[in-house]
Amino acid sequence: MSLVESIVLMLGLIFCVSLLYWSNKKWGYLLSALLLLAAVIISAYWPLMLATGFGLVAVGLLNRYQPELSKGEVRENNLRDWVQHLMALSILLVGIQYVAYYSFLAHGEISGLTRPDVLDAFLPIAAGLEIRAILTLNLWDDNHPAAAVMMVSVLLSGLLCKRAFCGWICPIGYGGTYLFKLRKRFIAGDYNPPGWLDWPLRMLKYLLLAGLLFIIIKGVPTQALPHYLDGTYMKVADLKTGLFFISPGFIGGLCLLVVLLLALWQDRAFCRYLCPYGAALGILSFASPFKVRRNTAHCLIDSKGMDCDKCTRACPARIKVHTVEAVRTDECQACMRCVSACPKKEALDVSTRNGVRLSARGMLIVLLLLMFGLPLIAYLSGFWSSQIEDITRMELMKYLHQINH
């Protein structure tokens, strides 16, 4: 685990412990703090120890100068925006380290830089094959184990809190929102497609998901999985993916152009129409106990007879929140924009059928535990860092264009 990864991980977990404390979850706070301290001591890894000190100082400063943010007591939109900015910055920093690491190798130098394994999260097929190998053969991959860890973390988030990963964490979706806002500065208007076209377009991401599942389940015979996972291609799978974005070729460039145009066309269009992760989370979200629920006794529509649709207008997924008692659609990203927009605090919330509410702070605690807690457990278990040696990567880079499946 690289230093940048360690800092991001510990900062996220220490902030999570802080949120538990301010939520008056004293037992949860004490247990989490003790487990986190024990994990750092057991690891005996200096970047984690350094990152722990940095995280404590950072959260302490946040508590002093931004106490409401530190306690998670700001409005849902403000809390979510802070989290998304920090996650985007984190991905940018590990991306810079990733490029620098491979730049040294490309010039025949083995530097002191450590490869950031978290970027293996962008290898969904590798992650799926690793999970399949674990379940069918009890075979644990050593090349890109972080890919499987991150996929499990994201999928679990769908089961627990709908598509909150999309609404709170994903830097790709957030980047698309920035591009959309930039376009609206110069060309006003939303230009949303009509319903008869929107529904078929939304199905595209499920077709892409079906294609990925077919490759994962049928693409490699079970008996060939050990050879494939330990093969040359898997050792450079991350490099091949990176090369696609650096030098995409005609077809790849066309795909990237389509994604860019979609982002400029409407907010989170990639999430809505093309993201297979979003499709998987959408399916899993039906099993989540938490839903956006409207309390008709307090809603201005039912209690006062007023014509209010602020929640619907705030929803980036264009869900008609004001017309239903519980939002059950697969498009809900649990972003809580509708909750933040509602003029009656008691009228709209994220809760279970039995009335257990999940606040924005609670949502963030769950996400932080999944996104950072599971990787820490994986690291301590020896199933996070890639075991490919730098010298091996350096040699394989010479033949990168000749290596195929």
mmCIF file of all heavy atoms in Angstrom, residues 7-31:
data_model
loop_
_atom_site.group_PDB
_atom_site.id
_atom_site.type_symbol
_atom_site.label_atom_id
_atom_site.label_comp_id
_atom_site.label_asym_id
_atom_site.label_seq_id
_atom_site.Cartn_x
_atom_site.Cartn_y
_atom_site.Cartn_z
ATOM 1 N N ILE A 7 -2.597 7.460 3.379
ATOM 2 C CA ILE A 7 -3.114 8.726 3.909
ATOM 3 C C ILE A 7 -4.616 8.838 3.656
ATOM 4 O O ILE A 7 -5.393 9.188 4.559
ATOM 5 C CB ILE A 7 -2.365 9.915 3.275
ATOM 6 C CG1 ILE A 7 -0.920 9.956 3.795
ATOM 7 C CG2 ILE A 7 -3.077 11.233 3.578
ATOM 8 C CD1 ILE A 7 -0.063 11.012 3.135
ATOM 9 N N VAL A 8 -5.034 8.516 2.430
ATOM 10 C CA VAL A 8 -6.460 8.598 2.100
ATOM 11 C C VAL A 8 -7.258 7.617 2.957
ATOM 12 O O VAL A 8 -8.318 7.948 3.500
ATOM 13 C CB VAL A 8 -6.683 8.309 0.600
ATOM 14 C CG1 VAL A 8 -8.172 8.226 0.279
ATOM 15 C CG2 VAL A 8 -6.023 9.387 -0.248
ATOM 16 N N LEU A 9 -6.749 6.394 3.084
ATOM 17 C CA LEU A 9 -7.454 5.359 3.847
ATOM 18 C C LEU A 9 -7.601 5.750 5.314
ATOM 19 O O LEU A 9 -8.697 5.690 5.880
ATOM 20 C CB LEU A 9 -6.711 4.031 3.702
ATOM 21 C CG LEU A 9 -7.339 2.806 4.378
ATOM 22 C CD1 LEU A 9 -7.146 1.572 3.513
ATOM 23 C CD2 LEU A 9 -6.727 2.554 5.740
ATOM 24 N N MET A 10 -6.503 6.176 5.930
ATOM 25 C CA MET A 10 -6.559 6.506 7.352
ATOM 26 C C MET A 10 -7.363 7.779 7.605
ATOM 27 O O MET A 10 -8.080 7.885 8.606
ATOM 28 C CB MET A 10 -5.144 6.657 7.914
ATOM 29 C CG MET A 10 -4.343 5.355 7.912
ATOM 30 S SD MET A 10 -5.210 3.985 8.734
ATOM 31 C CE MET A 10 -5.383 4.614 10.385
ATOM 32 N N LEU A 11 -7.267 8.744 6.690
ATOM 33 C CA LEU A 11 -8.050 9.964 6.839
ATOM 34 C C LEU A 11 -9.545 9.635 6.801
ATOM 35 O O LEU A 11 -10.330 10.136 7.610
ATOM 36 C CB LEU A 11 -7.697 10.943 5.724
ATOM 37 C CG LEU A 11 -8.394 12.314 5.766
ATOM 38 C CD1 LEU A 11 -8.083 13.034 7.075
ATOM 39 C CD2 LEU A 11 -7.965 13.160 4.574
ATOM 40 N N GLY A 12 -9.932 8.741 5.861
ATOM 41 C CA GLY A 12 -11.336 8.347 5.757
ATOM 42 C C GLY A 12 -11.822 7.618 7.000
ATOM 43 O O GLY A 12 -12.923 7.883 7.502
ATOM 44 N N LEU A 13 -11.019 6.700 7.517
ATOM 45 C CA LEU A 13 -11.431 5.918 8.678
ATOM 46 C C LEU A 13 -11.436 6.745 9.969
ATOM 47 O O LEU A 13 -12.320 6.580 10.817
ATOM 48 C CB LEU A 13 -10.517 4.697 8.826
ATOM 49 C CG LEU A 13 -10.714 3.603 7.776
ATOM 50 C CD1 LEU A 13 -9.702 2.491 7.964
ATOM 51 C CD2 LEU A 13 -12.135 3.040 7.832
ATOM 52 N N ILE A 14 -10.462 7.637 10.121
ATOM 53 C CA ILE A 14 -10.437 8.489 11.312
ATOM 54 C C ILE A 14 -11.623 9.452 11.284
ATOM 55 O O ILE A 14 -12.257 9.718 12.317
ATOM 56 C CB ILE A 14 -9.100 9.245 11.404
ATOM 57 C CG1 ILE A 14 -7.965 8.259 11.724
ATOM 58 C CG2 ILE A 14 -9.153 10.344 12.468
ATOM 59 C CD1 ILE A 14 -6.580 8.852 11.646
ATOM 60 N N PHE A 15 -11.949 9.973 10.105
ATOM 61 C CA PHE A 15 -13.133 10.824 9.980
ATOM 62 C C PHE A 15 -14.398 10.034 10.295
ATOM 63 O O PHE A 15 -15.317 10.543 10.937
ATOM 64 C CB PHE A 15 -13.198 11.402 8.563
ATOM 65 C CG PHE A 15 -14.331 12.372 8.361
ATOM 66 C CD1 PHE A 15 -14.575 13.383 9.276
ATOM 67 C CD2 PHE A 15 -15.152 12.269 7.258
ATOM 68 C CE1 PHE A 15 -15.612 14.285 9.096
ATOM 69 C CE2 PHE A 15 -16.196 13.161 7.059
ATOM 70 C CZ PHE A 15 -16.430 14.171 7.979
ATOM 71 N N CYS A 16 -14.422 8.764 9.892
ATOM 72 C CA CYS A 16 -15.563 7.899 10.204
ATOM 73 C C CYS A 16 -15.703 7.705 11.710
ATOM 74 O O CYS A 16 -16.815 7.769 12.257
ATOM 75 C CB CYS A 16 -15.383 6.539 9.512
ATOM 76 S SG CYS A 16 -16.712 5.371 9.830
ATOM 77 N N VAL A 17 -14.591 7.480 12.401
ATOM 78 C CA VAL A 17 -14.621 7.346 13.861
ATOM 79 C C VAL A 17 -15.118 8.637 14.504
ATOM 80 O O VAL A 17 -15.903 8.623 15.466
ATOM 81 C CB VAL A 17 -13.212 6.981 14.389
ATOM 82 C CG1 VAL A 17 -13.171 7.050 15.906
ATOM 83 C CG2 VAL A 17 -12.810 5.580 13.926
ATOM 84 N N SER A 18 -14.681 9.784 13.962
ATOM 85 C CA SER A 18 -15.131 11.076 14.469
ATOM 86 C C SER A 18 -16.642 11.234 14.299
ATOM 87 O O SER A 18 -17.337 11.708 15.211
ATOM 88 C CB SER A 18 -14.397 12.206 13.731
ATOM 89 O OG SER A 18 -14.917 13.470 14.086
ATOM 90 N N LEU A 19 -17.169 10.823 13.154
ATOM 91 C CA LEU A 19 -18.605 10.918 12.912
ATOM 92 C C LEU A 19 -19.392 10.019 13.869
ATOM 93 O O LEU A 19 -20.471 10.397 14.343
ATOM 94 C CB LEU A 19 -18.923 10.532 11.467
ATOM 95 C CG LEU A 19 -18.443 11.494 10.380
ATOM 96 C CD1 LEU A 19 -18.746 10.934 8.997
ATOM 97 C CD2 LEU A 19 -19.086 12.869 10.535
ATOM 98 N N LEU A 20 -18.846 8.843 14.153
ATOM 99 C CA LEU A 20 -19.494 7.955 15.116
ATOM 100 C C LEU A 20 -19.547 8.603 16.506
ATOM 101 O O LEU A 20 -20.544 8.489 17.216
ATOM 102 C CB LEU A 20 -18.747 6.622 15.190
ATOM 103 C CG LEU A 20 -18.975 5.641 14.041
ATOM 104 C CD1 LEU A 20 -17.973 4.498 14.105
ATOM 105 C CD2 LEU A 20 -20.401 5.091 14.084
ATOM 106 N N TYR A 21 -18.469 9.283 16.862
ATOM 107 C CA TYR A 21 -18.428 9.952 18.167
ATOM 108 C C TYR A 21 -19.500 11.042 18.255
ATOM 109 O O TYR A 21 -20.254 11.109 19.232
ATOM 110 C CB TYR A 21 -17.041 10.560 18.392
ATOM 111 C CG TYR A 21 -16.947 11.379 19.660
ATOM 112 C CD1 TYR A 21 -16.777 10.756 20.886
ATOM 113 C CD2 TYR A 21 -17.037 12.776 19.618
ATOM 114 C CE1 TYR A 21 -16.696 11.507 22.059
ATOM 115 C CE2 TYR A 21 -16.959 13.523 20.770
ATOM 116 C CZ TYR A 21 -16.790 12.887 21.995
ATOM 117 O OH TYR A 21 -16.723 13.638 23.147
ATOM 118 N N TRP A 22 -19.583 11.888 17.233
ATOM 119 C CA TRP A 22 -20.542 12.985 17.259
ATOM 120 C C TRP A 22 -21.965 12.500 17.038
ATOM 121 O O TRP A 22 -22.910 13.253 17.281
ATOM 122 C CB TRP A 22 -20.169 14.034 16.209
ATOM 123 C CG TRP A 22 -18.878 14.727 16.511
ATOM 124 C CD1 TRP A 22 -17.722 14.646 15.803
ATOM 125 C CD2 TRP A 22 -18.613 15.594 17.615
ATOM 126 N NE1 TRP A 22 -16.738 15.394 16.381
ATOM 127 C CE2 TRP A 22 -17.263 15.993 17.504
ATOM 128 C CE3 TRP A 22 -19.376 16.073 18.669
ATOM 129 C CZ2 TRP A 22 -16.668 16.852 18.421
ATOM 130 C CZ3 TRP A 22 -18.777 16.929 19.588
ATOM 131 C CH2 TRP A 22 -17.450 17.311 19.457
ATOM 132 N N SER A 23 -22.126 11.251 16.602
ATOM 133 C CA SER A 23 -23.464 10.676 16.461
ATOM 134 C C SER A 23 -23.957 10.069 17.769
ATOM 135 O O SER A 23 -25.042 9.481 17.812
ATOM 136 C CB SER A 23 -23.460 9.583 15.382
ATOM 137 O OG SER A 23 -23.063 10.092 14.144
ATOM 138 N N ASN A 24 -23.126 10.194 18.826
ATOM 139 C CA ASN A 24 -23.442 9.615 20.139
ATOM 140 C C ASN A 24 -23.490 8.089 20.099
ATOM 141 O O ASN A 24 -24.154 7.474 20.932
ATOM 142 C CB ASN A 24 -24.770 10.163 20.682
ATOM 143 C CG ASN A 24 -24.675 11.632 21.033
ATOM 144 O OD1 ASN A 24 -23.662 12.081 21.575
ATOM 145 N ND2 ASN A 24 -25.716 12.390 20.707
ATOM 146 N N LYS A 25 -22.775 7.496 19.116
ATOM 147 C CA LYS A 25 -22.637 6.043 19.060
ATOM 148 C C LYS A 25 -21.351 5.682 19.808
ATOM 149 O O LYS A 25 -20.341 5.304 19.220
ATOM 150 C CB LYS A 25 -22.580 5.550 17.617
ATOM 151 C CG LYS A 25 -23.740 6.035 16.747
ATOM 152 C CD LYS A 25 -25.055 5.443 17.193
ATOM 153 C CE LYS A 25 -26.193 5.875 16.267
ATOM 154 N NZ LYS A 25 -27.510 5.357 16.701
ATOM 155 N N LYS A 26 -21.392 5.839 21.145
ATOM 156 C CA LYS A 26 -20.160 5.728 21.930
ATOM 157 C C LYS A 26 -19.528 4.349 21.823
ATOM 158 O O LYS A 26 -18.304 4.208 21.704
ATOM 159 C CB LYS A 26 -20.463 6.073 23.395
ATOM 160 C CG LYS A 26 -20.942 7.506 23.583
ATOM 161 C CD LYS A 26 -19.902 8.508 23.113
ATOM 162 C CE LYS A 26 -20.419 9.940 23.169
ATOM 163 N NZ LYS A 26 -20.756 10.413 24.498
ATOM 164 N N TRP A 27 -20.362 3.298 21.861
ATOM 165 C CA TRP A 27 -19.788 1.963 21.760
ATOM 166 C C TRP A 27 -19.198 1.727 20.369
ATOM 167 O O TRP A 27 -18.138 1.124 20.216
ATOM 168 C CB TRP A 27 -20.838 0.901 22.084
ATOM 169 C CG TRP A 27 -21.130 0.800 23.542
ATOM 170 C CD1 TRP A 27 -22.261 1.199 24.188
ATOM 171 C CD2 TRP A 27 -20.254 0.275 24.559
ATOM 172 N NE1 TRP A 27 -22.159 0.963 25.539
ATOM 173 C CE2 TRP A 27 -20.931 0.395 25.800
ATOM 174 C CE3 TRP A 27 -18.971 -0.271 24.544
ATOM 175 C CZ2 TRP A 27 -20.360 -0.027 26.996
ATOM 176 C CZ3 TRP A 27 -18.402 -0.677 25.743
ATOM 177 C CH2 TRP A 27 -19.096 -0.557 26.945
ATOM 178 N N GLY A 28 -19.910 2.209 19.355
ATOM 179 C CA GLY A 28 -19.387 2.091 17.996
ATOM 180 C C GLY A 28 -18.110 2.884 17.824
ATOM 181 O O GLY A 28 -17.164 2.426 17.174
ATOM 182 N N TYR A 29 -18.073 4.064 18.448
ATOM 183 C CA TYR A 29 -16.873 4.898 18.382
ATOM 184 C C TYR A 29 -15.690 4.220 19.057
ATOM 185 O O TYR A 29 -14.590 4.141 18.494
ATOM 186 C CB TYR A 29 -17.185 6.245 19.028
ATOM 187 C CG TYR A 29 -15.988 6.985 19.571
ATOM 188 C CD1 TYR A 29 -15.069 7.586 18.734
ATOM 189 C CD2 TYR A 29 -15.775 7.060 20.961
ATOM 190 C CE1 TYR A 29 -13.970 8.260 19.239
ATOM 191 C CE2 TYR A 29 -14.680 7.731 21.469
ATOM 192 C CZ TYR A 29 -13.781 8.326 20.607
ATOM 193 O OH TYR A 29 -12.686 8.984 21.106
ATOM 194 N N LEU A 30 -15.904 3.719 20.284
ATOM 195 C CA LEU A 30 -14.810 3.085 21.021
ATOM 196 C C LEU A 30 -14.313 1.824 20.317
ATOM 197 O O LEU A 30 -13.100 1.611 20.184
ATOM 198 C CB LEU A 30 -15.268 2.747 22.444
ATOM 199 C CG LEU A 30 -15.451 3.931 23.394
ATOM 200 C CD1 LEU A 30 -16.083 3.473 24.704
ATOM 201 C CD2 LEU A 30 -14.107 4.606 23.651
ATOM 202 N N LEU A 31 -15.252 1.001 19.859
ATOM 203 C CA LEU A 31 -14.864 -0.232 19.179
ATOM 204 C C LEU A 31 -14.100 0.065 17.896
ATOM 205 O O LEU A 31 -13.058 -0.542 17.624
ATOM 206 C CB LEU A 31 -16.111 -1.070 18.876
ATOM 207 C CG LEU A 31 -15.864 -2.420 18.174
ATOM 208 C CD1 LEU A 31 -14.983 -3.314 19.033
ATOM 209 C CD2 LEU A 31 -17.189 -3.103 17.862
#
